[in-house]
Amino acid sequence: MDAALQTREPPGPPPIYRSAGRRLPEVSGVFHGRELTRKERRLACGIEVIDRLLAGGILRGRLSELVGAVSGGKTSLAMAFAAQATQREAAAWIETGNSLDPLSLTASGINPARMLWVACPAPSHGRTLPALKVAEWLLGVGGFGLVVLDLAGEQRLLPIGVSLRIARAAEASGAAVMVLAERRVCGAPAALTLSLTGRQARFSRSAPQAPALFDGIEVELTVRHNKLGGVGAGVRWSAVTAWDSRSGRARRSAAAAEPRPLAVDAG
Amino acid sequence: MYRGRFIPASDGSLPAAVQPTELTADEADARRAGGRRIACVLIADFPIAALVRTNPEWRERPLALTRQARPRPARGGTAATSSKEPAGQWTPYGELSHVAPVAAAMGVRAGMTIAQGRALLPELIVTHPSPAAEEAARAALIDVAWSFSPVIEERAPGCVWIDLSGTEGLYRQEPYAAATALEQRIAEAIARRVRGIGLEAAVGIASSKELAYLAARCGGLRLVANGREREFLDWMPLELTELGTASGGLPDWLKRMGLRRLGDLARLDPHAVGTRMGAAGVALARLARGEGSALVRARPRPEDFTEALELEYGIEQLEALTFLLRAMLDRLCARLALRGLAVGGLTLGLGLADGGRDERRITAAAPTTESAALLTLLRLNLEARGPAAAVETLRLTAEARQPRPLVNDLFQPPAPAADRLGVVIARIAALCGPDRVGTLLAADSYRPEAVRVGAFAPSAAGAAPPQSTLAGKTPAGKPDVAPIALRAVRPAEEVEVLCLGERPQFVRGKRVCARVISSAGPWRRQGEWWSAATGEEQAGPVARPAAYARDYYELALADGGVYRVYYDHQRGQWFVDGVYD
């Protein structure tokens, strides 16, 4: 897989995203006197390798999917996008269960005051997911930079009409809509599908007799579907543990997270 | 105030030494007025106008009011709307107190009995005056007056004086506009705004309050220019001069004397009129000469934005109730918009058929004047908890707030529209539950699963918290890391863990069943033993151990997942409470 990853060079970000003042065009929609097109208005996640792979981030006003199995890193990546969005904008996190962890939100750098959380009930048999209805309502309000639709337990493909309605609502509101699921559920209306696979769970010891520590998961990200091209490209990145504020136990920071011999292949 | 003592001289003139050194109150008013212009806004047949305002379908119908006690509707008689005449039987000898213009045109007059009125006009609608509707219409009229000037005085319900001093500039479109054209524009604006709150007003503008009232009584828009008061008053019948105590029974007496118009009275010697008719006669004579009080006495009054409705029938259907609430909200929002205010919250009071009261309060996410958004909030509230019995009276009170400024930061992205967001959050709360929407925060507790939900207010959010050292691009050549997230399992799911020594080897549960590949832990967490000592947890219906002592593990399983698992020492069981993702 490594070789396959290296065979495709990810396209570089457009010039405006290489500039120091990247924030201004994102907000104003104008750069060097030129109005940015939809393709140029993107939401970055702050993980440099992924932003470079996606030419600046996921598209605003479009539907993107993050798919992967349990411990694949999709929640961590979605939170990274949300952290960037809530620096200046409002975001919404709609989930079908009740699994969002507030400590993970703050550890990811998300401003909780700008994050609207909705935990939707399970749908009754044969009915549309309430989460989709909620997403459509919130997109109708407008003003959200990112709407995360966490359908982690959803296995079925959504009805095409529903996906289309969400995609159109996203386009009208200009918000980036991100769907988290175990497999592709949006079908053709999704502009981008990123597949995430947990390759390695990293454990380490600070000394031979010291207790083992969980350091994080190494994740492989592949562009499964992209309407703007670049399908098949991929990168590896790491979702690492940070500071566990509740227990008061200091965990190793990223800078110090050197892999130790205890690395275990979890795939 | 010093006033000289009045000593009549033998020749009837006043000696110079005892001339009044200061003016009377009315004279001082007139002197201070000095070119002041007063507008009088008058609602004809105010009790009927107020009733028609709350029941617009009666606007072109023959309507009459009676003071007779309200008849009870027939048993089981409930209706969806109050658009029809009440079904109760009025006694035929009941007297009509007010008659709408449509009925008056057919010959029905106030003072007739109901039987006489119905004999003339079989389709005559007879109903009872509504004090609640009159109070709401009165407050709405004052709101309209306030939107023109803060100096207003209420003469009676349905009649308000407005001091127009200083407001001309707001309506002057060209620098040297004629005063008459300017006042015409103001009068038209007043009539238009009164129409906006559901009433029809006559407007008179003159140099004194009494003159403005007389001008308004002529109907339509009538201006009396300065210096032309006598021209206006000369033809005025004395019957129109019902100016409170100043009139008394005087017009009838004057009519017997052969005086029929104010002009006749103005031509008489004022001293002679005062000698023969007393103070009331002097006041009437002064009015006939075009003199009057120009001082509008503004009084502070409580700001009460209430609309009320009394129904003849009990309403049981939500749709019918919503229909009425929509009209009430439209009127409330129009009133608040006149004052430059918005609705911050609503209090809905329902009078029920079983004699009970149902009061509910709805808070808007942000001040708004969009009645549709507020109606949605009300409807959702009523859908969530309907009234216990049929509704007979409605009382809707708005909490006035300063509207949210719409000017956003040039360099900030637009935030969600607060009013629309409030409606959507209310909808979501109705769909998912009120504790499942908002801002998710960690609760003030040592328990890892403790969370709380706060209100979502993105506009009030301050600067973003300091970025995690891991969030975003990290220094030292680490551009490919991000903080890991935990997906909580709520409530924690019981699992079976097979251990070798103290090391977990296999996990088996409802959603997970796999061999342990690697593990970290245990990490001991315990707390809240102090609340167990007080025994407060045992008071509930289900005894829950307050204190907790858990050993946490992070387990990488063969199915590819990394789970957070703990052993509960209190229960002696294993639980999975999260999965790293």
Side-chain angles (χ1 to χ4, degrees):
Chain A
M1 186 64 197
D2 284 347
L5 289 173
Q6 286 165 6
T7 53
R8 285 176 177 266
E9 278 296 318
I16 59 166
Y17 287 98
R18 286 198 292 267
S19 68
R22 183 167 56 83
R23 281 290 177 197
L24 188 59
E26 268 187 28
V27 172
S28 65
V30 176
F31 184 72
H32 283 188
R34 184 174 67 83
E35 190 175 0
L36 299 181
T37 62
R38 286 270 186 196
K39 292 177 186 177
E40 291 164 332
R41 304 196 71 172
R42 290 170 183 262
L43 177 66
C45 66
I47 305 170
E48 204 172 290
V49 290
I50 297 177
D51 287 342
R52 197 180 305 126
L53 175 76
L54 300 177
I58 58 170
L59 286 169
R60 290 175 183 267
R62 292 287 185 273
L63 194 55
S64 306
E65 284 181 301
L66 300 188
V67 298
V70 173
S71 296
K74 55 184 182 299
T75 310
S76 304
L77 183 56
M79 283 194 182
F81 279 108
Q84 294 296 317
T86 55
Q87 298 302 308
R88 301 167 69 93
E89 300 170 83
W93 190 291
I94 306 160
E95 56 179 353
T96 49
N98 183 7
S99 60
L100 195 62
D101 180 37
L103 292 179
S104 297
L105 286 182
T106 46
S108 303
I110 292 172
N111 183 353
R114 290 202 177 117
M115 171 72 88
L116 174 66
W117 166 76
V118 183
C120 296
S124 51
H125 181 69
R127 304 289 295 274
T128 310
L129 284 170
L132 299 172
K133 196 184 289 184
V134 170
E136 209 172 340
W137 287 345
L138 289 175
L139 288 168
V141 171
F144 286 93
L146 172 69
V147 174
V148 179
L149 198 50
D150 187 352
L151 309 176
E154 191 62 28
Q155 299 279 343
R156 298 168 301 168
L157 194 68
L158 298 177
I160 187 72
V162 174
S163 304
L164 265 176
R165 276 216 312 270
I166 297 286
R168 283 178 183 162
E171 187 174 3
S173 76
V177 178
M178 184 183 288
V179 177
L180 311 187
E182 288 195 11
R183 58 183 64 187
R184 288 193 66 184
V185 293
C186 293
L192 173 73
T193 303
L194 302 178
S195 171
L196 293 113
T197 311
R199 282 297 169 201
Q200 210 171 46
R202 290 190 178 277
F203 290 80
S204 66
R205 296 182 194 277
S206 55
Q209 298 303 320
L213 297 172
F214 174 55
D215 284 334
I217 303 170
E218 191 175 322
V219 180
E220 183 182 307
L221 181 146
T222 311
V223 180
R224 181 72 62 81
H225 164 72
N226 190 353
K227 287 187 176 174
L228 299 182
V231 176
V235 292
R236 283 202 177 195
W237 61 285
S238 298
V240 297
T241 54
W243 173 266
D244 190 339
S245 60
R246 193 178 291 276
S247 68
R249 182 162 59 97
R251 308 297 291 271
R252 292 144 58 83
S253 70
E258 294 297 331
R260 300 296 295 249
L262 263 182
V264 174
D265 187 355
Chain B
M1 180 187 291
Y2 168 76
R3 298 185 62 191
R5 189 164 64 90
F6 178 77
I7 303 173
S10 57
D11 60 356
S13 62
L14 297 179
V18 292
Q19 286 283 0
T21 53
E22 289 197 31
L23 302 173
T24 64
D26 287 344
E27 287 166 345
D29 289 352
R31 183 75 57 89
R32 273 198 297 272
R36 186 166 288 178
R37 301 294 285 169
I38 311 292
C40 179
V41 188
L42 180 67
I43 310 294
D45 295 322
F46 182 67
I48 285 187
L51 207 58
V52 169
R53 177 173 177 262
T54 54
N55 300 280
E57 67 275 9
W58 282 348
R59 193 170 294 281
E60 298 301 329
R61 304 285 299 278
L63 181 67
L65 304 185
T66 178
R67 300 281 178 197
Q68 186 187 342
R70 184 189 297 272
R72 297 304 302 171
R75 287 181 68 82
T78 56
T81 68
S82 61
S83 62
K84 295 178 181 173
E85 187 185 2
Q89 293 296 315
W90 297 96
T91 50
Y93 50 81
E95 192 175 300
L96 301 178
S97 59
H98 295 83
V99 178
V102 176
M106 302 298 289
V108 183
R109 296 284 181 269
M112 287 182 174
T113 62
I114 296 174
Q116 288 171 331
R118 288 224 162 117
L120 281 169
L121 193 60
E123 58 270 26
L124 181 71
I125 297 173
V126 180
T127 188
H128 207 267
S130 170
E134 288 177 28
E135 185 58 34
R138 176 181 169 227
L141 186 63
I142 289 176
D143 286 331
V144 170
W146 258 84
S147 70
F148 283 90
S149 166
V151 186
I152 61 166
E153 182 181 344
E154 187 182 22
R155 179 182 178 272
C159 182
V160 181
W161 283 307
I162 308 171
D163 187 346
L164 296 179
S165 307
T167 62
E168 304 87 0
L170 299 173
Y171 299 91
R172 195 188 300 278
Q173 291 178 348
E174 56 271 7
Y176 300 105
T180 313
L182 197 61
E183 287 179 356
Q184 179 73 23
R185 206 170 292 144
I186 294 174
E188 285 169 3
I190 292 173
R192 197 165 47 245
R193 286 191 198 175
V194 172
R195 207 171 296 126
I197 58 163
L199 297 170
E200 286 291 336
V203 182
I205 298 180
S207 57
S208 70
K209 292 196 291 189
E210 292 80 4
L211 211 52
Y213 172 69
L214 286 177
R217 287 209 61 191
C218 296
L221 312 178
R222 191 164 294 262
L223 316 177
V224 182
N226 278 338
R228 303 185 69 178
E229 290 88 356
R230 290 291 300 274
E231 192 179 320
F232 169 72
L233 289 167
D234 275 355
W235 65 271
M236 179 75 66
L238 281 168
E239 287 85 355
L240 287 180
T241 58
E242 39 180 90
L243 294 168
T245 55
S247 59
L250 214 52
D252 295 336
W253 189 81
L254 291 169
K255 202 183 287 179
R256 286 200 296 275
M257 297 285 292
L259 303 171
R260 300 198 174 275
R261 296 182 182 276
L262 280 176
D264 301 337
L265 190 62
R267 280 187 283 275
L268 298 179
D269 176 24
H271 286 278
V273 171
T275 304
R276 289 169 177 79
M277 300 184 213
V282 172
L284 200 56
R286 290 188 60 192
L287 173 67
R289 290 201 304 274
E291 298 167 9
S293 169
L295 188 65
V296 177
R297 291 178 173 84
R299 291 184 181 85
R301 61 182 188 87
E303 288 197 337
D304 182 24
F305 296 97
T306 299
E307 289 288 332
L309 193 57
E310 292 169 342
L311 305 170
E312 302 288 348
Y313 302 94
I315 288 183
E316 291 171 340
Q317 298 160 2
L318 184 61
E319 278 306 312
L321 199 59
T322 310
F323 179 79
L324 296 175
L325 285 172
R326 182 196 301 273
M328 293 172 79
L329 273 173
D330 283 342
R331 292 195 293 268
L332 263 183
C333 290
R335 283 175 58 187
L336 284 158
L338 284 173
R339 304 284 303 277
L341 297 170
V343 181
L346 291 167
T347 304
L348 175 63
L350 303 174
L352 305 180
D354 60 0
R357 294 280 306 168
D358 183 343
E359 190 155 319
R360 47 191 81 206
R361 191 174 175 283
I362 294 108
T363 306
T368 179
T369 51
E370 282 189 24
S371 56
L374 294 165
L375 181 68
T376 308
L377 290 177
L378 279 175
R379 197 174 55 212
L380 288 170
N381 186 285
L382 287 167
E383 278 174 358
R385 182 173 58 88
V391 176
E392 286 191 336
T393 62
L394 294 99
R395 186 178 181 82
L396 194 60
T397 305
E399 293 167 22
R401 296 273 185 279
Q402 291 292 336
R404 180 172 177 258
L406 295 174
V407 181
N408 289 325
D409 190 329
L410 183 63
F411 296 103
Q412 289 289 339
D419 48 351
R420 297 175 64 190
L421 182 66
V423 173
V424 167
I425 286 179
R427 268 192 205 161
I428 295 171
L431 178 73
C432 307
D435 56 340
R436 294 171 75 94
V437 56
T439 300
L440 190 67
L441 301 163
D444 185 16
S445 167
Y446 290 97
R447 285 181 181 273
E449 69 270 20
V451 294
R452 67 184 173 89
V453 181
F456 178 65
S459 55
Q467 277 269 16
S468 161
T469 52
L470 299 175
K473 190 172 67 176
T474 53
K478 286 286 179 187
D480 57 349
V481 294
I484 195 166
L486 179 79
R487 296 180 71 86
V489 178
R490 296 191 189 104
E493 194 178 299
E494 187 181 346
V495 291
E496 189 181 349
V497 177
L498 307 179
C499 296
L500 186 63
E502 287 192 349
R503 307 301 304 171
Q505 298 295 315
F506 199 88
V507 180
R508 188 165 58 194
K510 199 158 52 176
R511 71 164 71 179
V512 55
C513 183
R515 180 172 56 87
V516 176
I517 292 178
S518 189
S519 66
W523 317 107
R524 171 64 59 87
R525 290 183 184 180
Q526 57 184 7
E528 298 191 6
W529 43 267
W530 49 88
S531 60
T534 62
E536 62 190 28
E537 290 289 314
Q538 306 301 328
V542 178
R544 187 168 62 86
Y548 66 91
R550 301 170 182 171
D551 284 343
Y552 278 85
Y553 294 82
E554 283 130 357
L555 304 181
L557 303 187
D559 65 359
V562 182
Y563 296 86
R564 194 170 76 177
V565 176
Y566 68 83
Y567 177 74
D568 191 330
H569 286 275
Q570 299 272 348
R571 302 184 187 180
Q573 292 167 328
W574 289 84
F575 294 90
V576 57
D577 80 332
V579 54
Y580 289 99
D581 187 35

